[in-house]
Amino acid sequence: HFLDSEISQASPAYYHELLTFGRLLQQRNTLLKRIREHHAALALLAPWDPQLAASAAKPTKKRHEAVKKLHMLANLMQRKISGSKENLSLTYEIHGLEEVTENLETWYNKKLEERHELDILRGVTSIGPHRDDLAIAVNGIDLRAYGSQGQQRTGALALKLAELEFLRSETGEYPILLLDDVMSELDASRREALLAFLQREHIQTISTATDAAYFPREDFGTGYHVED
């Protein structure tokens, strides 16, 4: 969902491809259930495979390319925030595929055909970009399973800052950055690194916090105090 949201902001064509894939996926899943309940013939399934394979390959390829760029940007941000103590890596995990070494459309078509029996039994399509994931690690540690809360927050922040740079590279300008109570979960050195980056790059930012002391008193935007 993170990748889809980000890439769609930069590429309306990608968003259209997602919608097309979603419609095909829904129609194929409906047919799978009808076949399972003996309300439709098995032979009706075969024509859907090449259509879905061609549609699935497009967003998968775009996501894979985007993650390559995000990986470099996010690691750069992680090192800035952590004072060069941590390296962050991003990996796009294609469900059922170890490495992209072949034509994705051909691979999807083959896998869809191989999984006919399983898909009919479950009533859903078991292969495609809807089953993929994004792996995030800091210094080789999988943040989804083993990262501390602080590491997870810093990793998420680095990813959002990388998103800023990605969108600027795609559209030519930074979007507005919204930060909701991020400062309280960063130590002083990481807060200073984050604020210095926002000032240096002139990124328009709206940030909430429970303590005004998290921000410099001078030359740092406009502050509002909200009660009740």
Side-chain angles (χ1 to χ4, degrees):
H1 289 135
F2 167 76
L3 288 175
D4 288 343
S5 174
E6 177 179 349
I7 301 171
S8 293
Q9 291 181 67
S11 172
Y14 176 82
Y15 181 67
H16 176 72
E17 290 166 0
L18 277 182
L19 293 179
T20 300
F21 172 76
R23 285 194 296 268
L24 288 169
L25 180 65
Q26 185 178 29
Q27 291 169 334
R28 187 178 190 270
N29 287 347
T30 298
L31 179 59
L32 288 169
K33 294 181 177 69
R34 286 177 55 80
I35 295 172
R36 184 182 63 187
E37 296 164 2
H38 307 290
H39 293 155
L42 176 60
L44 295 175
L45 186 58
W48 285 96
D49 292 352
Q51 293 184 67
L52 194 67
S55 182
K58 293 175 183 178
T60 300
K61 183 179 179 181
K62 189 69 174 178
R63 288 180 187 173
H64 188 258
E65 293 171 350
V67 169
K68 284 183 178 180
K69 183 182 290 188
L70 274 173
H71 165 73
M72 293 185 291
L73 294 172
N75 186 45
L76 180 63
M77 295 301 170
Q78 185 79 15
R79 290 184 61 80
K80 285 182 179 179
I81 298 172
S82 66
S84 300
K85 296 177 181 177
E86 297 173 350
N87 289 299
L88 183 145
S89 65
L90 298 178
T91 308
Y92 181 56
E93 299 179 335
I94 301 176
H95 183 70
L97 181 62
E98 292 293 328
E99 187 178 357
V100 181
T101 57
E102 57 183 303
N103 182 282
L104 280 172
E105 183 177 341
T106 301
W107 179 80
Y108 272 129
N109 200 43
K110 180 176 67 175
K111 287 298 179 181
L112 287 168
E113 185 177 354
E114 289 176 357
R115 294 172 178 238
H116 277 186
E117 186 175 336
L118 176 63
D119 288 357
I120 291 170
L121 181 64
R122 294 179 175 178
V124 294
T125 301
S126 59
I127 198 79
H130 60 296
R131 299 294 310 277
D132 296 346
D133 206 350
L134 183 65
I136 308 173
V138 169
N139 292 344
I141 299 173
D142 186 347
L143 286 188
R144 297 174 299 181
Y146 304 108
S148 66
Q149 184 175 356
Q151 287 177 321
Q152 289 175 346
R153 291 292 287 180
T154 304
L157 180 58
L159 200 55
K160 293 302 291 183
L161 296 178
E163 184 181 5
L164 287 176
E165 295 291 350
F166 177 86
L167 289 173
R168 185 178 71 160
S169 70
E170 296 287 322
T171 66
E173 62 181 359
Y174 282 121
I176 297 173
L177 176 64
L178 307 179
L179 299 176
D180 184 17
D181 198 24
V182 169
M183 300 301 172
S184 63
E185 302 197 27
L186 300 175
D187 59 34
S189 63
R190 296 185 190 225
R191 282 199 300 270
E192 290 173 6
L194 171 61
L195 294 175
F197 169 75
L198 298 178
Q199 283 188 299
R200 184 173 62 253
E201 299 298 329
H202 304 290
I203 297 172
Q204 185 176 2
T205 305
I206 300 173
S207 178
T208 66
T210 55
D211 190 342
Y214 290 140
F215 302 98
R217 291 187 175 275
E218 299 177 356
D219 300 325
F220 195 81
T222 303
Y224 298 91
H225 183 71
V226 181
E227 294 183 359
D228 299 325

